[in-house]
Amino acid sequence: MRNTCGLARLLWLLPPLLPLPLLHAQTNIRYELTFDTVTARQRSLHVTMRFDVGSAAPVQVSLPAWTPGAYEISNYARKVSNFSATAAGHAAVWDKADYDTWRIRPTSAGTISLGFDFLADTLDNAMAWSKPDFLLVNGTNVFPYPEGIGPGFPAQVTVTTTPGWRVLTGMERAPQGANSYQAGNYHDLVDMPFFIGRFDLDSTQIDGTWQRLASYPAGQLKGPARDILWKQLRGFTPAEAAVFGETPWKNYSTMLIFDPGYGGGSALEHQSSHVGIYTPGFIGTPLLASITAHEMFHSWNVKRLRPADMVPYRYDQPEETTLLWVSEGITDYYADLALVRGGVIDSTVFLSVTDGKRQHTDETVPVSLEDASLSTWIHPTDGTADIYYDKGSLAGLLLDILIRDASDNHKSLDDVMRGLYQTSYKAGKGFTTAEWWAAVSAAAGGKSFAEFATKYVEGREPFPWTSIGPLAGVQYLVDSNQVVRLGVNTISDSSKVIVTAVIPRSAAEAAGVEPGDQLVRIGDIDVKDENFGVLFRSRYANAVGSVIPIVVHRNDADKILQATIKRELVVTARLLYDPRASTKPARIRNGILKGTTDK
Ligand SMILES: [Zn+2]
């Protein structure tokens, strides 16, 4: 929906239950998705949308430009083909009002039926992806909304598929029969992705509600690996629910795709489900548990407790907020907390994960959390595109420590999250920056966080680990050593090590090493994997000043460079638990790790 008139925009923002003027009386809105062995061969699904109109007035329907949680404009209308429209049983005149809006001109009252094919060729959480026996599709991809009536309309969805294939969605079943579902409004309708086809599915009760685990391809996540994930889910789910004091869903679906062609892992949250896509190497790892815990925590933080800038969701344009660091970063803090509180990882792993986030943040060019939150929509190329996760997570830890310190460990960040959940989400609205800091300050007994906000959230100052860490028995240690160093950053796969960056003024730079070079040999060390750095430091520790050949593979040829071994000051920092922490910091540290306060 673009270039809407003021009135349509106003209607969109009205609460769903207000009676609306019957400018466009689209009623009885229903959709049908068809995906079977035949459409799978075209990597597509067929979509039908039907609704009733009370007059011959033109009607417009639009497809969303983005999916909440995937903060980028995708323009799903790009994937539509073979659009057709009938009105009262006859071919209807239609054209486009803009690039993602179709305008249909019925000649009388009656049922309008729209049909189109949707290309399911993109392995992405927010998109549609098909295999010969499987489909992932998001509601934002394929459910057009009528312009002018707001998002409050109820809708039905019927899925038609090959006999024997499964359908999984978070939507409620409709009484109409098998594979029929219903949603009370458009927001719910597009927040319930579908798996259709052959995949593994089982369910169990955790902490009083049903959880479903679906995984594609069938047979991939099985046996002990599946048991491990279920055990992890049983561990962290109650720890997450305890933060808010309630479980908000009737049932929850963890929907997983494993594909060897997918680099790494990523996932996208919804109110009662999430979709995760991973390379199969993630199976059985704490990393899979960590992302799963992160997505589940979103069920509270962002799907329900949400910055006011994103309430209500609108699907036609970006919704920028300076508070994405709360929605994403603090979610990531609680994912780690839920793992340690739920016994999935121990406190040592928690600290090392936290220290990894600190290191990543320190190695990234300084960017404020608020600026990084805004910039997510344009994917900055300077390395800061995702930093609000790690840096925001650390801000959560620092705030937790400061609140616990100010309240003698009687209050925590949990109180902030639980309190805002009640005063904003339960009150039917989003929260503002002022409300966030007011809640933080209230939990800390009225302590002002203005300076913290100015320096570390609006500003770019490095986090004050040396002053805040000890309040929770966490030391920040900095070591500096003179070591021989080549001065390259690299990535490697099974067969080669590639230079990604050359450190200024390093031995590598003086020798002429360039980003993109494959390292073949350094002196008499054959470079096979990332272990070459360790070998280099031990082999040439006492060879400062001598010149050695470096062989790099560049532009399909080996090139021999000459490097002079030099020693450099290398500063390393790390976070450590202080074994001699006094009583109060030890209580605070224990409270963070256990999810408790000293009431
Ligand atoms: Zn997230």
Side-chain angles (χ1 to χ4, degrees), residues 69 71 267 269 294-295 298 302 327-328 331-332 389:
Y71 303 102
E269 70 275 9
H294 174 111
E295 302 310 327
H298 272 315
V302 95
S327 301
E328 291 296 348
T331 290
D332 216 53
Y389 288 91

Side-chain angles (χ1 to χ4, degrees), residues 228-299:
I228 287 172
L229 184 55
W230 270 124
K231 187 166 178 244
Q232 292 166 333
L233 283 159
R234 273 192 296 274
F236 66 70
T237 300
E240 294 194 345
V243 174
F244 295 93
E246 72 168 21
T247 304
W249 57 71
K250 280 186 190 159
N251 54 63
Y252 188 91
S253 300
T254 295
M255 303 163 76
L256 306 178
I257 293 171
F258 296 99
D259 189 84
Y262 195 77
S266 74
L268 181 61
E269 70 275 9
H270 302 283
Q271 59 184 280
S272 63
S273 64
H274 76 267
V275 173
I277 306 174
Y278 304 95
T279 189
F282 272 56
I283 291 174
T285 65
L287 199 51
L288 179 59
S290 167
I291 298 175
T292 306
H294 174 111
E295 302 310 327
M296 185 181 282
F297 196 80
H298 272 315
S299 186

Side-chain angles (χ1 to χ4, degrees), residues 69-141:
Y71 303 102
E72 62 184 1
I73 293 299
S74 296
N75 291 322
Y76 303 118
R78 290 187 303 125
K79 303 281 182 178
V80 169
S81 62
N82 301 321
F83 188 90
S84 67
T86 63
H90 302 287
V93 174
W94 64 269
D95 66 355
K96 278 194 166 182
D98 62 48
Y99 55 71
D100 56 16
T101 302
W102 289 262
R103 177 169 46 201
I104 300 99
R105 301 177 190 278
T107 52
S108 67
T111 299
I112 291 183
S113 177
L114 313 175
F116 57 89
D117 294 318
F118 193 88
L119 187 60
D121 66 343
T122 310
L123 184 53
D124 182 296
N125 298 308
M127 303 285 283
W129 181 72
S130 67
K131 296 288 271 187
D133 62 347
F134 178 76
L135 172 73
L136 157 70
V137 63
N138 282 272
T140 44
N141 306 158

Side-chain angles (χ1 to χ4, degrees), residues 73 75 156 208 273 295 354 397 409 425 455 512 519-520 565-566:
I73 293 299
N75 291 322
Q156 284 180 16
S273 64
E295 302 310 327
T354 302
L397 170 61
N409 205 34
Y425 164 62
K455 284 184 174 173
L519 292 177
V520 177
I565 308 259
K566 60 189 278 200

Side-chain angles (χ1 to χ4, degrees), residues 461-477:
E461 292 199 23
F463 285 164
W465 292 106
T466 42
S467 62
I468 297 180
L471 302 176
V474 174
Q475 293 171 301
Y476 178 64
L477 292 187

